Amino acid sequence: MKDLKTTDVMVKCLENEGVKYIFGIPGEENIDLIHSLSFSDKIQFVAVRHEQGAAFMADVYGRLTGKAGVCLATLGPGATNLITGIGDANLDRAPLVAITGQAGLERMHKESHQYIDVVAMFTPVTKWSIQVKRPETIPEIVRKAFKLAEMEKPGAVHIELPEDIAADDIEDTILPTTALPKSVPTVDNMEKAIELIQQSKKPFIIAGNGVIRQEAAVSLQKFAESINVPVAHTFMAKGVLPPDHPLNMYTVGLQMKDFVLCGIHEADLIIAVGYDFIEYLPMYWNETDPKQIVHIDTQAAEVDLHYPVASELVGDIRSTLEYLTQNHKGTKGWMPGDELHQKLKEELAGINKEPEPRITSDTTKIKIKTVLNQLQKIVKDNTIVISDVGAHKMWIARNYQPKLPNRVIISNGFASMGIALPGAIGAKFACPDDPVVCIMGDGGFLMNGAEIETAKRLGLAFTIIVLSDSKYGLIDWKLKNRFNESFGIDFQNPDLIRLAESFGIAGMRVNHPSELESILTKAVNMNEVVLVEIPIDNKENLKLSKHLGKHICRQ
């Protein structure tokens, strides 16, 4: 075999892993890799406007495809700019491989320009962070990186490539890729779980993010139907059951305690499927008179006082559910009392609740749930909705009900503002034929708003909805709930429509509630990037807090 430059071999290894896109920014210490990528006819390098945006793009790409998204940065500030998106991917279980440049080995033992220990910095927010010390190890390191990133539970991996190593010559070697191993629980353990379910009178299913990752939504629905018991979803498992399914108890995850907890409190056994503690800690839903748990996941359960595991089924979720469906001993056939399912359905639909104010000439602000209800009516079933973090995230998690799984992307484990707009770019690369809508507050929008230029340059098409109130609304909500007053949350915005137009994209503002339907309909049907600004009424946040606090079931 002939020798090639290290980065040429690295690119061939990345191609071998099926990498199609690398999101990043070039720098001095990664220019050898950038140059090698220029010769690849299989990988598109996507130049972005900020490394954080690159990491978020790779993050969302990984969530939607199950294949590791890849982001690239140089040393020092380039690497530190990546870390928020990498932490987000790692905690939200999205496969991601980050590659950073670094100073040459000859200057790492002393104070040196832009040099910091990036490997050590990335270690707490990745599954594996490694520096390439010998160029011939590249094939092994790349293969291990993708295997670790994609195997359960998925997450972020970091490879640091010093500039002197990058320029060396090595033997042209590529390691074959292999399918990730699968395992199933023992028959004895599954039969024990079946016995527990049979003995219980009111089992309740909590579906978590693992159901999405393992593509087990159909299997979970069949299992739930076969024993006829209610199902609640975490924020990151929305869509596992269709919104009109009679067993759907919608979403669990609000720390303020939503109505769905009434059903969980009434249950005598919790079947947790693909549930992850980063989604919603057990102390919030299993604190009083803790219910026993049947734990179904790819990994053993975390140890927690409020998560008393009676049966642990560790392995492939889909195979486990199929066995339980085929071998259980009869249906349970119960639903929480007091017509909870119907009440939840009405609550989320806004039936019999406080109506929208009468439209007058001076009405300008719109409730977030009104925006979501209208959006839900007009988008296609396969539309991907990406939520930024803020007060609106709570409403999307609670009220927006997708008809298909993995159609709502929410940063939940890390809960990072700024993900939605770059995430929309990652989503369009992952699912180019699916419509994409990203929803954010005006606070999160300007954190990565420059990526509009990236989307425009690449010719992508998606809808940006900016909910505008000139404040950090979620913190305003929290401060008023706790202290009955607010502080430090106000800011001023530029003219967002003119800002959009300066990027060369269409901008529309909803100036009156009567315009909402027509503007949203026009925006989601435009085959280009379009920004819609909607002034919102955040007073409903406090009303929701008081409403749930007053009416939540007794524990």
Side-chain angles (χ1 to χ4, degrees), residues 32 42 63 98 110 113 117 169 190 287 304 306 312 315 329 365 376 386 412 445 489 511 518 551 554:
D32 280 288
K42 296 180 180 179
R63 296 188 200 211
K110 57 187 176 183
H113 177 65
D117 191 341
D169 288 337
M190 288 195 281
E287 181 179 10
D304 189 288
H306 304 291
E312 205 159 4
K329 301 176 176 63
K365 295 183 178 180
Q376 209 158 249
I386 303 177
N412 201 37
F445 167 65
I489 48 84
N511 293 308
S518 61
H551 292 93
R554 294 180 181 178

PDB file of all heavy atoms in Angstrom, residues 32 42 63 98 110 113 117 169 190 287 304 306 312 315 329 365 376 386 412 445 489 511 518 551 554:
ATOM      1  N   ASP A  32      -5.069  21.197   6.928  1.00  0.00           N
ATOM      2  CA  ASP A  32      -4.733  19.969   6.204  1.00  0.00           C
ATOM      3  C   ASP A  32      -5.981  19.112   5.999  1.00  0.00           C
ATOM      4  O   ASP A  32      -6.193  18.548   4.915  1.00  0.00           O
ATOM      5  CB  ASP A  32      -3.663  19.175   6.964  1.00  0.00           C
ATOM      6  CG  ASP A  32      -2.264  19.725   6.744  1.00  0.00           C
ATOM      7  OD1 ASP A  32      -1.740  19.539   5.631  1.00  0.00           O
ATOM      8  OD2 ASP A  32      -1.724  20.348   7.670  1.00  0.00           O
ATOM      9  N   LYS A  42     -17.684  12.441  -1.757  1.00  0.00           N
ATOM     10  CA  LYS A  42     -18.737  11.817  -0.939  1.00  0.00           C
ATOM     11  C   LYS A  42     -19.148  12.686   0.257  1.00  0.00           C
ATOM     12  O   LYS A  42     -20.223  12.505   0.804  1.00  0.00           O
ATOM     13  CB  LYS A  42     -18.270  10.449  -0.431  1.00  0.00           C
ATOM     14  CG  LYS A  42     -18.027   9.440  -1.535  1.00  0.00           C
ATOM     15  CD  LYS A  42     -17.564   8.107  -0.950  1.00  0.00           C
ATOM     16  CE  LYS A  42     -17.320   7.087  -2.056  1.00  0.00           C
ATOM     17  NZ  LYS A  42     -16.841   5.793  -1.506  1.00  0.00           N
ATOM     18  N   ARG A  63     -29.780  13.042  15.647  1.00  0.00           N
ATOM     19  CA  ARG A  63     -31.058  12.632  16.237  1.00  0.00           C
ATOM     20  C   ARG A  63     -32.008  12.069  15.193  1.00  0.00           C
ATOM     21  O   ARG A  63     -32.747  11.120  15.445  1.00  0.00           O
ATOM     22  CB  ARG A  63     -31.736  13.823  16.915  1.00  0.00           C
ATOM     23  CG  ARG A  63     -30.997  14.399  18.094  1.00  0.00           C
ATOM     24  CD  ARG A  63     -31.869  15.430  18.783  1.00  0.00           C
ATOM     25  NE  ARG A  63     -31.067  16.334  19.598  1.00  0.00           N
ATOM     26  CZ  ARG A  63     -31.502  16.907  20.698  1.00  0.00           C
ATOM     27  NH1 ARG A  63     -32.716  16.675  21.120  1.00  0.00           N
ATOM     28  NH2 ARG A  63     -30.735  17.737  21.379  1.00  0.00           N
ATOM     29  N   ALA A  98     -17.054  15.025  16.982  1.00  0.00           N
ATOM     30  CA  ALA A  98     -16.440  16.340  16.843  1.00  0.00           C
ATOM     31  C   ALA A  98     -14.952  16.164  16.575  1.00  0.00           C
ATOM     32  O   ALA A  98     -14.282  15.371  17.243  1.00  0.00           O
ATOM     33  CB  ALA A  98     -16.649  17.164  18.104  1.00  0.00           C
ATOM     34  N   LYS A 110       4.489  23.520  27.038  1.00  0.00           N
ATOM     35  CA  LYS A 110       4.766  24.848  27.574  1.00  0.00           C
ATOM     36  C   LYS A 110       3.639  25.799  27.203  1.00  0.00           C
ATOM     37  O   LYS A 110       2.745  25.479  26.416  1.00  0.00           O
ATOM     38  CB  LYS A 110       6.091  25.371  27.007  1.00  0.00           C
ATOM     39  CG  LYS A 110       6.136  25.419  25.480  1.00  0.00           C
ATOM     40  CD  LYS A 110       7.522  25.786  24.971  1.00  0.00           C
ATOM     41  CE  LYS A 110       7.573  25.731  23.446  1.00  0.00           C
ATOM     42  NZ  LYS A 110       8.930  26.024  22.942  1.00  0.00           N
ATOM     43  N   HIS A 113       0.672  29.846  22.130  1.00  0.00           N
ATOM     44  CA  HIS A 113      -0.424  30.588  21.518  1.00  0.00           C
ATOM     45  C   HIS A 113      -1.646  29.692  21.277  1.00  0.00           C
ATOM     46  O   HIS A 113      -1.545  28.664  20.607  1.00  0.00           O
ATOM     47  CB  HIS A 113       0.057  31.188  20.197  1.00  0.00           C
ATOM     48  CG  HIS A 113      -0.995  31.920  19.424  1.00  0.00           C
ATOM     49  ND1 HIS A 113      -1.585  33.079  19.889  1.00  0.00           N
ATOM     50  CD2 HIS A 113      -1.567  31.662  18.212  1.00  0.00           C
ATOM     51  CE1 HIS A 113      -2.473  33.509  18.998  1.00  0.00           C
ATOM     52  NE2 HIS A 113      -2.475  32.662  17.978  1.00  0.00           N
ATOM     53  N   ASP A 117      -5.822  22.550  27.024  1.00  0.00           N
ATOM     54  CA  ASP A 117      -6.031  21.106  26.992  1.00  0.00           C
ATOM     55  C   ASP A 117      -7.483  20.819  26.614  1.00  0.00           C
ATOM     56  O   ASP A 117      -8.359  20.669  27.459  1.00  0.00           O
ATOM     57  CB  ASP A 117      -5.698  20.512  28.372  1.00  0.00           C
ATOM     58  CG  ASP A 117      -5.646  18.985  28.339  1.00  0.00           C
ATOM     59  OD1 ASP A 117      -6.205  18.394  27.392  1.00  0.00           O
ATOM     60  OD2 ASP A 117      -5.069  18.395  29.273  1.00  0.00           O
ATOM     61  N   ASP A 169       2.797  11.471   6.761  1.00  0.00           N
ATOM     62  CA  ASP A 169       2.376  10.436   5.813  1.00  0.00           C
ATOM     63  C   ASP A 169       2.221   9.110   6.550  1.00  0.00           C
ATOM     64  O   ASP A 169       3.044   8.763   7.415  1.00  0.00           O
ATOM     65  CB  ASP A 169       3.408  10.272   4.684  1.00  0.00           C
ATOM     66  CG  ASP A 169       3.400  11.452   3.719  1.00  0.00           C
ATOM     67  OD1 ASP A 169       2.361  12.136   3.657  1.00  0.00           O
ATOM     68  OD2 ASP A 169       4.419  11.671   3.053  1.00  0.00           O
ATOM     69  N   MET A 190     -37.896 -11.719  31.358  1.00  0.00           N
ATOM     70  CA  MET A 190     -39.105 -11.231  30.690  1.00  0.00           C
ATOM     71  C   MET A 190     -40.358 -11.882  31.267  1.00  0.00           C
ATOM     72  O   MET A 190     -41.398 -11.248  31.403  1.00  0.00           O
ATOM     73  CB  MET A 190     -38.993 -11.447  29.177  1.00  0.00           C
ATOM     74  CG  MET A 190     -37.996 -10.488  28.530  1.00  0.00           C
ATOM     75  SD  MET A 190     -38.092 -10.359  26.733  1.00  0.00           S
ATOM     76  CE  MET A 190     -37.211 -11.844  26.251  1.00  0.00           C
ATOM     77  N   GLU A 287     -42.691  10.424  43.739  1.00  0.00           N
ATOM     78  CA  GLU A 287     -42.163  10.790  45.056  1.00  0.00           C
ATOM     79  C   GLU A 287     -43.006  10.223  46.188  1.00  0.00           C
ATOM     80  O   GLU A 287     -42.485   9.659  47.151  1.00  0.00           O
ATOM     81  CB  GLU A 287     -42.100  12.319  45.178  1.00  0.00           C
ATOM     82  CG  GLU A 287     -41.541  12.808  46.509  1.00  0.00           C
ATOM     83  CD  GLU A 287     -41.474  14.321  46.580  1.00  0.00           C
ATOM     84  OE1 GLU A 287     -42.038  14.985  45.691  1.00  0.00           O
ATOM     85  OE2 GLU A 287     -40.859  14.831  47.532  1.00  0.00           O
ATOM     86  N   ASP A 304     -31.859   5.186  42.016  1.00  0.00           N
ATOM     87  CA  ASP A 304     -32.582   6.356  42.490  1.00  0.00           C
ATOM     88  C   ASP A 304     -33.629   5.908  43.494  1.00  0.00           C
ATOM     89  O   ASP A 304     -34.359   4.938  43.252  1.00  0.00           O
ATOM     90  CB  ASP A 304     -33.242   7.080  41.319  1.00  0.00           C
ATOM     91  CG  ASP A 304     -33.830   8.428  41.711  1.00  0.00           C
ATOM     92  OD1 ASP A 304     -34.863   8.437  42.402  1.00  0.00           O
ATOM     93  OD2 ASP A 304     -33.263   9.472  41.317  1.00  0.00           O
ATOM     94  N   HIS A 306     -36.396   7.107  44.170  1.00  0.00           N
ATOM     95  CA  HIS A 306     -37.759   7.217  43.659  1.00  0.00           C
ATOM     96  C   HIS A 306     -37.988   6.356  42.416  1.00  0.00           C
ATOM     97  O   HIS A 306     -39.007   6.516  41.734  1.00  0.00           O
ATOM     98  CB  HIS A 306     -38.068   8.680  43.334  1.00  0.00           C
ATOM     99  CG  HIS A 306     -37.860   9.601  44.489  1.00  0.00           C
ATOM    100  ND1 HIS A 306     -38.665   9.589  45.613  1.00  0.00           N
ATOM    101  CD2 HIS A 306     -36.913  10.547  44.718  1.00  0.00           C
ATOM    102  CE1 HIS A 306     -38.238  10.501  46.467  1.00  0.00           C
ATOM    103  NE2 HIS A 306     -37.179  11.092  45.945  1.00  0.00           N
ATOM    104  N   GLU A 312     -35.980  -5.660  35.543  1.00  0.00           N
ATOM    105  CA  GLU A 312     -35.081  -4.894  34.683  1.00  0.00           C
ATOM    106  C   GLU A 312     -34.843  -5.671  33.390  1.00  0.00           C
ATOM    107  O   GLU A 312     -34.216  -6.739  33.404  1.00  0.00           O
ATOM    108  CB  GLU A 312     -33.756  -4.654  35.423  1.00  0.00           C
ATOM    109  CG  GLU A 312     -33.004  -3.449  34.955  1.00  0.00           C
ATOM    110  CD  GLU A 312     -32.001  -2.967  36.003  1.00  0.00           C
ATOM    111  OE1 GLU A 312     -31.853  -3.628  37.047  1.00  0.00           O
ATOM    112  OE2 GLU A 312     -31.376  -1.926  35.787  1.00  0.00           O
ATOM    113  N   GLY A 315     -31.795  -4.530  27.023  1.00  0.00           N
ATOM    114  CA  GLY A 315     -31.500  -5.043  25.695  1.00  0.00           C
ATOM    115  C   GLY A 315     -32.273  -4.269  24.646  1.00  0.00           C
ATOM    116  O   GLY A 315     -32.762  -3.161  24.891  1.00  0.00           O
ATOM    117  N   LYS A 329     -50.247 -12.411  29.636  1.00  0.00           N
ATOM    118  CA  LYS A 329     -51.337 -13.319  30.025  1.00  0.00           C
ATOM    119  C   LYS A 329     -52.655 -12.562  30.212  1.00  0.00           C
ATOM    120  O   LYS A 329     -53.249 -12.564  31.282  1.00  0.00           O
ATOM    121  CB  LYS A 329     -50.956 -14.068  31.303  1.00  0.00           C
ATOM    122  CG  LYS A 329     -49.674 -14.896  31.165  1.00  0.00           C
ATOM    123  CD  LYS A 329     -49.285 -15.529  32.480  1.00  0.00           C
ATOM    124  CE  LYS A 329     -48.063 -16.426  32.336  1.00  0.00           C
ATOM    125  NZ  LYS A 329     -46.861 -15.682  31.932  1.00  0.00           N
ATOM    126  N   LYS A 365     -50.966  41.242  20.690  1.00  0.00           N
ATOM    127  CA  LYS A 365     -50.238  40.088  21.189  1.00  0.00           C
ATOM    128  C   LYS A 365     -51.094  38.826  21.147  1.00  0.00           C
ATOM    129  O   LYS A 365     -52.308  38.869  21.324  1.00  0.00           O
ATOM    130  CB  LYS A 365     -49.735  40.350  22.607  1.00  0.00           C
ATOM    131  CG  LYS A 365     -48.712  41.473  22.664  1.00  0.00           C
ATOM    132  CD  LYS A 365     -48.169  41.663  24.063  1.00  0.00           C
ATOM    133  CE  LYS A 365     -47.119  42.768  24.089  1.00  0.00           C
ATOM    134  NZ  LYS A 365     -46.574  42.983  25.452  1.00  0.00           N
ATOM    135  N   GLN A 376     -50.430  23.576  14.100  1.00  0.00           N
ATOM    136  CA  GLN A 376     -50.754  22.156  14.042  1.00  0.00           C
ATOM    137  C   GLN A 376     -51.822  21.858  12.992  1.00  0.00           C
ATOM    138  O   GLN A 376     -51.841  20.792  12.398  1.00  0.00           O
ATOM    139  CB  GLN A 376     -51.222  21.687  15.418  1.00  0.00           C
ATOM    140  CG  GLN A 376     -50.936  20.235  15.727  1.00  0.00           C
ATOM    141  CD  GLN A 376     -50.927  19.976  17.214  1.00  0.00           C
ATOM    142  OE1 GLN A 376     -49.893  19.695  17.797  1.00  0.00           O
ATOM    143  NE2 GLN A 376     -52.074  20.054  17.842  1.00  0.00           N
ATOM    144  N   ILE A 386     -38.764  22.050  15.409  1.00  0.00           N
ATOM    145  CA  ILE A 386     -37.604  22.130  16.297  1.00  0.00           C
ATOM    146  C   ILE A 386     -37.823  23.281  17.264  1.00  0.00           C
ATOM    147  O   ILE A 386     -38.017  24.430  16.865  1.00  0.00           O
ATOM    148  CB  ILE A 386     -36.303  22.345  15.499  1.00  0.00           C
ATOM    149  CG1 ILE A 386     -36.135  21.213  14.482  1.00  0.00           C
ATOM    150  CG2 ILE A 386     -35.100  22.404  16.439  1.00  0.00           C
ATOM    151  CD1 ILE A 386     -34.936  21.365  13.595  1.00  0.00           C
ATOM    152  N   ASN A 412     -33.607  18.865  25.743  1.00  0.00           N
ATOM    153  CA  ASN A 412     -34.187  18.642  27.065  1.00  0.00           C
ATOM    154  C   ASN A 412     -33.144  18.319  28.124  1.00  0.00           C
ATOM    155  O   ASN A 412     -33.167  18.859  29.205  1.00  0.00           O
ATOM    156  CB  ASN A 412     -35.216  17.509  27.003  1.00  0.00           C
ATOM    157  CG  ASN A 412     -36.199  17.563  28.147  1.00  0.00           C
ATOM    158  OD1 ASN A 412     -36.598  18.633  28.571  1.00  0.00           O
ATOM    159  ND2 ASN A 412     -36.578  16.410  28.662  1.00  0.00           N
ATOM    160  N   PHE A 445     -33.178  33.427  19.388  1.00  0.00           N
ATOM    161  CA  PHE A 445     -32.985  33.667  17.958  1.00  0.00           C
ATOM    162  C   PHE A 445     -31.668  34.367  17.667  1.00  0.00           C
ATOM    163  O   PHE A 445     -30.892  33.965  16.800  1.00  0.00           O
ATOM    164  CB  PHE A 445     -34.145  34.484  17.395  1.00  0.00           C
ATOM    165  CG  PHE A 445     -33.881  35.042  16.028  1.00  0.00           C
ATOM    166  CD1 PHE A 445     -33.702  34.197  14.940  1.00  0.00           C
ATOM    167  CD2 PHE A 445     -33.795  36.417  15.824  1.00  0.00           C
ATOM    168  CE1 PHE A 445     -33.451  34.713  13.676  1.00  0.00           C
ATOM    169  CE2 PHE A 445     -33.545  36.936  14.568  1.00  0.00           C
ATOM    170  CZ  PHE A 445     -33.371  36.086  13.488  1.00  0.00           C
ATOM    171  N   ILE A 489     -34.442  40.708  32.967  1.00  0.00           N
ATOM    172  CA  ILE A 489     -34.876  39.831  31.876  1.00  0.00           C
ATOM    173  C   ILE A 489     -35.237  40.602  30.601  1.00  0.00           C
ATOM    174  O   ILE A 489     -35.561  39.985  29.581  1.00  0.00           O
ATOM    175  CB  ILE A 489     -36.072  38.955  32.323  1.00  0.00           C
ATOM    176  CG1 ILE A 489     -37.184  39.756  33.014  1.00  0.00           C
ATOM    177  CG2 ILE A 489     -35.591  37.877  33.276  1.00  0.00           C
ATOM    178  CD1 ILE A 489     -38.145  40.404  32.093  1.00  0.00           C
ATOM    179  N   ASN A 511     -49.173  41.286  12.714  1.00  0.00           N
ATOM    180  CA  ASN A 511     -49.520  42.513  13.425  1.00  0.00           C
ATOM    181  C   ASN A 511     -50.858  42.444  14.132  1.00  0.00           C
ATOM    182  O   ASN A 511     -51.196  43.336  14.919  1.00  0.00           O
ATOM    183  CB  ASN A 511     -49.523  43.690  12.439  1.00  0.00           C
ATOM    184  CG  ASN A 511     -48.139  43.997  11.906  1.00  0.00           C
ATOM    185  OD1 ASN A 511     -47.197  44.167  12.675  1.00  0.00           O
ATOM    186  ND2 ASN A 511     -48.005  44.042  10.589  1.00  0.00           N
ATOM    187  N   SER A 518     -53.365  33.179   7.962  1.00  0.00           N
ATOM    188  CA  SER A 518     -52.942  33.409   6.579  1.00  0.00           C
ATOM    189  C   SER A 518     -51.426  33.523   6.463  1.00  0.00           C
ATOM    190  O   SER A 518     -50.821  32.983   5.525  1.00  0.00           O
ATOM    191  CB  SER A 518     -53.614  34.668   6.022  1.00  0.00           C
ATOM    192  OG  SER A 518     -53.249  35.815   6.776  1.00  0.00           O
ATOM    193  N   HIS A 551     -55.335  22.918  40.484  1.00  0.00           N
ATOM    194  CA  HIS A 551     -56.210  21.824  40.105  1.00  0.00           C
ATOM    195  C   HIS A 551     -55.529  20.456  40.037  1.00  0.00           C
ATOM    196  O   HIS A 551     -56.190  19.474  39.774  1.00  0.00           O
ATOM    197  CB  HIS A 551     -56.839  22.124  38.736  1.00  0.00           C
ATOM    198  CG  HIS A 551     -57.808  23.269  38.770  1.00  0.00           C
ATOM    199  ND1 HIS A 551     -57.424  24.552  38.485  1.00  0.00           N
ATOM    200  CD2 HIS A 551     -59.126  23.325  39.080  1.00  0.00           C
ATOM    201  CE1 HIS A 551     -58.485  25.364  38.589  1.00  0.00           C
ATOM    202  NE2 HIS A 551     -59.518  24.649  38.946  1.00  0.00           N
ATOM    203  N   ARG A 554     -54.743  15.328  44.008  1.00  0.00           N
ATOM    204  CA  ARG A 554     -54.116  15.137  45.313  1.00  0.00           C
ATOM    205  C   ARG A 554     -53.157  13.967  45.254  1.00  0.00           C
ATOM    206  O   ARG A 554     -53.439  12.931  44.690  1.00  0.00           O
ATOM    207  CB  ARG A 554     -55.187  14.861  46.380  1.00  0.00           C
ATOM    208  CG  ARG A 554     -56.099  16.059  46.631  1.00  0.00           C
ATOM    209  CD  ARG A 554     -57.125  15.722  47.687  1.00  0.00           C
ATOM    210  NE  ARG A 554     -58.014  16.857  47.918  1.00  0.00           N
ATOM    211  CZ  ARG A 554     -59.035  16.814  48.761  1.00  0.00           C
ATOM    212  NH1 ARG A 554     -59.297  15.710  49.434  1.00  0.00           N
ATOM    213  NH2 ARG A 554     -59.797  17.880  48.916  1.00  0.00           N
TER     214      ARG A 554
END
